[in-house]
Amino acid sequence: MSGHSKWSTIKRKKGANDAKRGKIFTKLIKEITIAAKMGGGDPEGNPRLRSAITVAKSENMPKENIDRAIKKGTGDLGGAVYEEILYEGYGPGGVAVLVETMTDNKNRTVADIRHFFAKSGGNLGESGCVAWMFDKKGTISVDKAGVNEEQLMDVALEAGAEDVVEEEDSFQIITAPESFNDVVDQLEKGKIKFAEATLSMVPKNTIEVTEEKAARSLLRLLDNLEDHDDVQKVHANFDITDELMDQLS
């Protein structure tokens, strides 16, 4: 879990989620659009669309934005045609990096991503070079403040969660992808608020980055990738100690 949870924690501390709210909405709209295009506009019969809507709601996206994105996907509204491409590579310190993209110009996208990797001292790899190091999971972050741990455990596990992991200031609920929506539904029914809910590629093992230069370059790489308009999600199998994070800050 360290790679995903560490990066999520870092972004929250930096305020990146608030600063890039517009970009987050743009990425979510793309996901909803392509989900509706591939599986139809009814979330009850389209698990991918239902998950995308769940994540959008967790980011407080207005209902009209969600409805408009669905209509674009079903063809009721015009819009760009996107292609999904997964890029894989190695960042500083040998950290494995997965980059999920949705683009209308793959030549532009791959050129930019290759540039980011090279600039950081990493390299873009072949398809399949690092994907095997990750498992797809649902991850739901619940702030410790104001939540009853015993109630949270009962609700999450009864709804089908695989595990609840305690961290410094939050609980991370881990689910199989097919249980993700059910767990979110039960949390909402139990009036348990969550800070983040998303489907992620969770690393099976992590690499600890101990050198300041490598850590700084890695975080810059992840920032550059996530800031790119064509990038939907970035996953990496790293861990950085809190002490080193304090130095970087």
Side-chain angles (χ1 to χ4, degrees):
M1 270 303 295
S2 296
H4 170 75
S5 61
K6 180 70 70 172
W7 183 229
S8 297
T9 301
I10 290 169
K11 287 188 292 183
R12 285 200 295 273
K13 287 182 177 179
K14 290 168 60 181
N17 285 344
D18 291 334
K20 298 178 181 177
R21 179 67 59 187
K23 283 189 176 292
I24 290 170
F25 278 12
T26 298
K27 295 175 190 294
L28 290 172
I29 286 169
K30 282 185 180 181
E31 171 60 20
I32 293 169
T33 299
I34 201 165
K37 179 182 179 181
M38 294 177 67
D42 180 8
E44 292 305 316
N46 184 344
R48 179 173 176 177
L49 177 60
R50 189 180 174 207
S51 295
I53 292 172
T54 295
V55 175
K57 286 181 176 178
S58 80
E59 292 287 353
N60 299 312
M61 179 182 283
K63 184 178 183 297
E64 55 267 27
N65 293 38
I66 295 173
D67 292 341
R68 193 179 305 118
I70 292 173
K71 289 179 179 178
K72 284 183 180 180
T74 56
D76 295 326
L77 290 176
V81 178
Y82 297 111
E83 179 180 3
E84 290 183 285
I85 306 174
L86 178 68
Y87 294 101
E88 307 176 37
Y90 291 93
V95 170
V97 182
L98 284 178
V99 187
E100 296 182 39
T101 70
M102 206 170 286
T103 178
D104 58 358
N105 185 335
K106 64 181 180 181
N107 291 331
R108 174 195 65 217
T109 304
V110 69
D112 290 346
I113 289 176
R114 182 177 287 113
H115 170 71
F116 291 145
F117 272 94
K119 187 177 179 181
S120 74
N123 63 282
L124 189 62
E126 298 293 327
S127 177
C129 68
V130 302
W132 61 272
M133 302 181 191
F134 297 80
D135 289 321
K136 189 169 187 178
K137 298 289 184 181
T139 56
I140 306 162
S141 178
V142 179
D143 290 337
K144 280 187 175 180
V147 66
N148 181 289
E149 181 179 357
E150 187 174 345
Q151 180 197 9
L152 176 66
M153 294 279 288
D154 287 344
V155 171
L157 296 176
E158 285 184 14
E162 294 181 350
D163 198 5
V164 179
V165 181
E166 183 176 3
E167 299 197 339
E168 183 181 350
D169 56 2
S170 67
F171 294 102
Q172 297 289 329
I173 302 171
I174 315 302
T175 79
E178 57 270 19
S179 303
F180 174 69
N181 291 311
D182 292 337
V183 175
V184 168
D185 287 347
Q186 291 305 311
L187 290 175
E188 290 177 339
K189 288 178 182 178
K191 301 188 183 303
I192 299 174
K193 295 182 179 180
F194 45 88
E196 181 184 29
T198 189
L199 289 168
S200 300
M201 299 299 289
V202 176
K204 298 175 182 177
N205 296 291
T206 57
I207 294 175
E208 186 171 349
V209 181
T210 57
E211 295 182 1
E212 181 179 347
K213 181 179 179 181
R216 195 178 297 279
S217 295
L218 175 62
L219 296 184
R220 189 179 300 115
L221 168 63
L222 300 180
D223 261 337
N224 286 336
L225 289 169
E226 288 210 333
D227 201 38
H228 195 285
D229 289 340
D230 296 337
V231 173
Q232 290 294 100
K233 294 180 182 178
V234 181
H235 316 280
N237 69 341
F238 73 98
D239 197 3
I240 296 177
T241 65
D242 292 335
E243 291 77 15
L244 180 52
M245 274 309 306
D246 289 341
Q247 293 179 39
L248 297 174
S249 300

